[in-house]
Amino acid sequence: MSRNDLKKFIILFFLIILSCNPFYSASKKSKKKSQNEKTQTEITIEATFQKDELEQTDDETVEEMIKLPVQKRTFFYKIDEQIIKNVENGSPESLKNAMQMIKKTSEEYEENEKVLITIASEIMKTVWPSQKITWEQIVSEVENPYTGAINSAKQGIFDSSTGDVDFLTTLLPALVILNPVILKAKDQSQIEDDVFVKSKASVEKAIEMNPDSVLANYLMGVLLGKQKKNQESLFYLNIAYQNSPKTEEISLRYADALYETGDYVQAQNVINNLDPMENNISVLKQKAYIAFELKDYDNAERFVALVLQQNPNDLDFLLFRAKILVEKKDYIRAVSLLDVYARQNDKSLDYLILRAKIQLDWSKNTTAATETIEKALQLYPDDIQVLMIAAKISSITDSPVAGKYADQLTEKVLQTQPDNTEAMIYSLNALIQRENWIDSYKVCRRIIETDNYPVEIVVKFVSICLKLGKNNEAFDFAKTQLAKYPDDETVLQAYVFAYSKVGNRELVLKYIDSLLANTNQKMKSYLFYVRSFLQVSDEKALADLRSSLSMNPRNSDSLFRLYEIYYEKQDYRKAQYYLRQVVAINPNNNSLKKLNESLTKLIP
């Protein structure tokens, strides 16, 4: 008998069996069919014979010609479907439910049930270590792709040999991202690229199979968080959190992602939703960080103290406590903690930043602060905080830090943060100090275009415009700002100064006199200073400047103006008398110190 005859015989035999089937016969009697209508079986037979007549290749099997529905079987097909769904969901609650449903005596378990129990136990231990395993841990001794993937993940290896035949063989290799070595790595570059690439592809495929799986969404959230994709991480962690809000690991990860994206209030709500855990260090640390960002320094310090009670050798939190104390302006206690920390590590980035801040803001020791921040620049040359502190010191002292002035130090900052107003202000101060009015004008324009600047910038911009002869622009800007802030004295000072340069002398003097009649002493001091420029003789100018100082003896503008007048008169002793007072008010300004040193050489 030929191969084709054999095929025909099998098909005919199949039809005879169907016709003898009582269900098939009953179906035929209950349904009438038109003469032109053909059953699916007849169509299949016709197609088969047509293929034979066309002499199809001999390697076609009977199964290919007879299209019968085939039910896909998995390793766990005999186990209740709901049990499998619960394990695939992977949350602590679902795993416990699954194990309760499958519970038998040890001797009654089938091999596939043992494998499933092993999977549930390993997921609980690896992913949810805060949870207790409430079922008997049956271990399968038979080699299989499920436990093989888990064991590989424990060794930091992504198992690509599972075959991806079902949800679990697809997802379990991705447990590698929870390997302690990978989790503790501070930089993704320390991990092999294919671990993340393969894990992400694996989890994405698993989520396509089961979008509601807590385990799959949690793993994706962890993976994206490790890659610093916090906004994307939030999406998946939110799904996991909504389905398992009391799971500690999910809450901590979700709160951390919220924290990294700046949503501190929601992060606090998530952490507070956990059951009280005053002894849980991970929860206490998260609470401390969030409280600090919310400027709740008392609670932040309380949480830090609870952490240090359990682990007094936690240097990171010892340093964090010092950081909190600095914010509370409790500098004495902060310094003592920094001294303790420095015995173990005096090169930490956070340590150097805190030390420099205390030296600058509390001790007012710019020399020590400069030394500290120069050390930080050597170790962390691209760190934004270090560059900003260095620029601040340079801006205050009008001296280079590590060989660079503030405008040079802020270049790297503004490359990554072009709208950083603080960095632009430091740069502006440095340019003004070096009397680089053209670049000062450009930077100041950028600052006022941000519409988020301190009022002191109004005075600086007016002064720069006047230095460049842009008197009308200075006046128009000051006038606009005064209309916006009519009660702000700094803005009023800028307006008066600009008006004195563009207005009629007599009208300006009348305007200043009208302001003098009803204002405070500090403002009067400034008005007398501006009026001194309008006087036609040095005697009247000097009289206005003395009146200015009688209202405010520390008015450095008036003092410096007196220095300039006496310097022009070559009365160097009187000039130095006033210049020294300016230096005393601005002790960190090295430019003033240099002027004083040069003046000393002129005095016989």
Side-chain angles (χ1 to χ4, degrees):
M1 183 181 295
S2 69
R3 184 178 180 82
N4 287 336
D5 289 337
L6 177 61
K7 291 178 184 177
K8 293 175 184 178
F9 176 77
I10 292 172
I11 293 168
L12 290 172
F13 178 76
F14 172 72
L15 290 174
I16 292 169
I17 294 298
L18 285 178
S19 64
C20 295
N21 187 302
F23 295 105
Y24 176 82
S25 300
S27 175
K28 279 187 69 179
K29 291 176 183 177
S30 62
K31 295 182 182 178
K32 291 184 179 180
K33 168 170 73 74
S34 66
Q35 291 181 353
N36 293 329
E37 186 180 356
K38 295 180 181 180
T39 67
Q40 184 61 45
T41 305
E42 289 170 339
I43 293 170
T44 303
I45 294 170
E46 275 189 14
T48 302
F49 280 96
Q50 287 171 4
K51 286 181 181 179
D52 289 341
E53 291 170 0
L54 292 172
E55 295 183 354
Q56 293 291 331
T57 56
D58 290 340
D59 61 348
E60 286 184 322
T61 62
V62 175
E63 287 81 7
E64 288 178 291
M65 291 184 292
I66 306 176
K67 304 296 182 183
L68 294 178
V70 178
Q71 184 176 2
K72 185 178 179 181
R73 292 186 175 183
T74 67
F75 183 71
F76 304 113
Y77 79 97
K78 288 184 179 180
I79 300 174
D80 187 296
E81 187 177 345
Q82 187 57 49
I83 296 174
I84 304 300
K85 286 183 177 179
N86 280 335
V87 174
E88 290 179 353
N89 179 279
S91 72
E93 301 89 344
S94 295
L95 292 173
K96 289 174 183 178
N97 289 337
M99 295 301 97
Q100 184 62 35
M101 293 173 67
I102 204 173
K103 187 177 181 181
K104 299 177 182 178
T105 62
S106 300
E107 295 77 19
E108 293 177 325
Y109 286 117
E110 299 291 338
E111 192 57 45
N112 56 359
E113 292 173 326
K114 290 181 181 180
V115 172
L116 193 64
I117 294 170
T118 302
I119 292 170
S121 299
E122 291 298 330
I123 290 174
M124 194 69 97
K125 286 187 281 188
T126 303
V127 187
W128 322 120
S130 68
Q131 298 287 322
K132 292 182 179 179
I133 295 178
T134 57
W135 59 86
E136 182 183 4
Q137 297 184 56
I138 306 296
V139 179
S140 171
E141 302 295 339
V142 177
E143 288 188 12
N144 60 83
Y146 304 96
T147 56
I150 293 170
N151 292 331
S152 294
K154 288 180 180 179
Q155 299 172 39
I157 300 169
F158 183 95
D159 190 346
S160 303
S161 65
T162 61
D164 294 354
V165 296
D166 58 15
F167 178 88
L168 290 172
T169 50
T170 300
L171 183 64
L172 290 177
L175 290 177
V176 68
I177 62 176
L178 298 181
N179 182 281
V181 174
I182 294 175
L183 278 182
K184 291 178 181 177
K186 293 183 179 181
D187 189 344
Q188 186 187 332
S189 63
Q190 299 173 0
I191 308 301
E192 293 184 21
D193 289 339
D194 66 341
V195 169
F196 285 101
V197 173
K198 291 178 181 178
S199 294
K200 188 176 181 182
S202 170
V203 179
E204 283 176 343
K205 188 174 180 181
I207 289 175
E208 285 181 12
M209 297 178 183
N210 186 352
D212 297 323
S213 168
V214 170
L215 176 59
N217 281 286
Y218 175 74
L219 289 178
M220 182 62 87
V222 173
L223 190 151
L224 292 170
K226 198 66 187 170
Q227 294 179 312
K228 304 299 181 185
K229 299 176 181 178
N230 296 306
Q231 202 62 51
E232 295 177 48
S233 174
L234 267 179
F235 174 80
Y236 294 98
L237 289 173
N238 180 54
I239 295 173
Y241 178 75
Q242 295 302 326
N243 288 289
S244 190
K246 291 294 183 180
T247 301
E248 179 187 325
E249 287 80 8
I250 294 175
S251 293
L252 284 171
R253 287 279 177 187
Y254 186 40
D256 185 59
L258 290 164
Y259 175 89
E260 292 295 334
T261 53
D263 194 347
Y264 306 122
V265 173
Q266 184 59 22
Q268 188 176 61
N269 291 337
V270 170
I271 288 294
N272 289 341
N273 190 43
L274 287 171
D275 294 330
M277 296 182 178
E278 289 298 308
N279 294 321
N280 188 311
I281 287 182
S282 296
V283 174
L284 289 171
K285 285 186 173 183
Q286 192 72 275
K287 285 185 174 182
Y289 288 130
I290 294 168
F292 180 84
E293 294 298 337
L294 292 172
K295 302 187 187 304
D296 183 3
Y297 300 125
D298 288 336
N299 268 323
E301 188 180 4
R302 181 171 69 86
F303 294 132
V304 169
L306 289 171
V307 171
L308 292 173
Q309 281 177 11
Q310 297 181 59
N311 189 1
N313 296 321
D314 190 329
L315 287 178
D316 288 341
F317 255 62
L318 184 72
L319 193 61
F320 187 39
R321 189 172 196 175
K323 186 176 182 180
I324 295 168
L325 291 171
V326 168
E327 293 299 327
K328 294 175 75 173
K329 303 191 185 306
D330 190 346
Y331 295 111
I332 295 175
R333 290 171 63 203
V335 168
S336 65
L337 288 175
L338 288 179
D339 290 342
V340 172
Y341 182 88
R343 293 179 199 136
Q344 303 292 326
N345 182 5
D346 64 351
K347 295 180 180 179
S348 159
L349 172 62
D350 289 337
Y351 163 77
L352 291 169
I353 287 173
L354 284 177
R355 181 69 80 182
K357 280 184 176 179
I358 291 173
Q359 291 166 334
L360 188 61
D361 299 335
W362 180 52
S363 306
K364 307 298 181 184
N365 189 339
T366 54
T367 303
T370 300
E371 289 176 2
T372 301
I373 212 64
E374 284 182 338
K375 181 178 180 180
L377 281 169
Q378 288 179 343
L379 296 169
Y380 312 99
D382 298 321
D383 185 82
I384 299 297
Q385 289 187 79
V386 172
L387 289 166
M388 288 294 286
I389 295 173
K392 182 179 180 180
I393 295 171
S394 177
S395 176
I396 292 170
T397 62
D398 187 23
S399 297
V401 175
K404 295 181 179 180
Y405 284 92
D407 54 314
Q408 297 166 319
L409 289 162
T410 55
E411 282 181 5
K412 284 184 180 180
V413 178
L414 293 171
Q415 284 174 4
T416 56
Q417 300 176 3
D419 297 325
N420 189 321
T421 304
E422 186 181 2
M424 285 190 278
I425 290 173
Y426 292 150
S427 177
L428 174 64
N429 291 341
L431 293 167
I432 290 173
Q433 286 161 350
R434 298 207 299 279
E435 298 185 357
N436 185 342
W437 304 118
I438 294 175
D439 288 342
S440 296
Y441 177 80
K442 292 176 183 177
V443 173
C444 210
R445 287 290 313 177
R446 284 178 60 196
I447 294 172
I448 62 177
E449 285 169 4
T450 64
D451 201 29
N452 178 30
Y453 52 88
V455 290
E456 290 77 11
I457 294 300
V458 177
V459 177
K460 291 181 187 295
F461 186 66
V462 168
S463 299
I464 292 166
C465 286
L466 294 174
K467 289 288 185 182
L468 291 171
K470 299 175 182 287
N471 294 357
N472 290 327
E473 183 178 355
F475 178 70
D476 291 341
F477 177 73
K479 186 178 180 180
T480 303
Q481 294 299 303
L482 186 61
K484 288 173 66 177
Y485 309 104
D487 299 324
D488 193 294
E489 288 186 356
T490 303
V491 175
L492 178 59
Q493 288 176 6
Y495 173 76
V496 172
F497 192 45
Y499 185 34
S500 72
K501 299 297 182 182
V502 300
N504 177 276
R505 177 179 172 275
E506 296 299 328
L507 291 177
V508 175
L509 284 171
K510 285 183 180 180
Y511 177 67
I512 290 174
D513 289 342
S514 68
L515 293 175
L516 282 168
N518 186 27
T519 189
N520 58 53
Q521 285 189 310
K522 187 177 179 181
M523 189 64 190
K524 284 180 180 178
S525 177
Y526 184 79
L527 292 171
F528 278 121
Y529 162 71
V530 175
R531 200 172 77 167
S532 73
F533 288 96
L534 299 170
Q535 301 296 359
V536 292
S537 68
D538 284 348
E539 289 72 18
K540 287 186 177 181
L542 288 170
D544 277 342
L545 290 169
R546 292 188 185 101
S547 296
S548 172
L549 291 174
S550 69
M551 297 296 172
N552 178 15
R554 292 179 61 81
N555 186 331
S556 58
D557 290 328
S558 294
L559 289 166
F560 194 77
R561 172 93 168 114
L562 283 164
Y563 149 75
E564 289 180 320
I565 291 173
Y566 284 112
Y567 187 87
E568 288 175 7
K569 291 176 176 288
Q570 296 185 356
D571 189 343
Y572 299 128
R573 288 190 182 280
K574 280 190 177 180
Q576 189 175 56
Y577 170 76
Y578 290 108
L579 182 58
R580 282 178 174 174
Q581 292 183 63
V582 179
V583 172
I585 295 169
N586 304 279
N588 295 314
N589 192 312
N590 288 325
S591 294
L592 293 173
K593 290 178 182 178
K594 289 176 183 177
L595 280 178
N596 188 47
E597 289 169 3
S598 299
L599 190 56
T600 302
K601 295 176 182 178
L602 297 175
I603 299 173

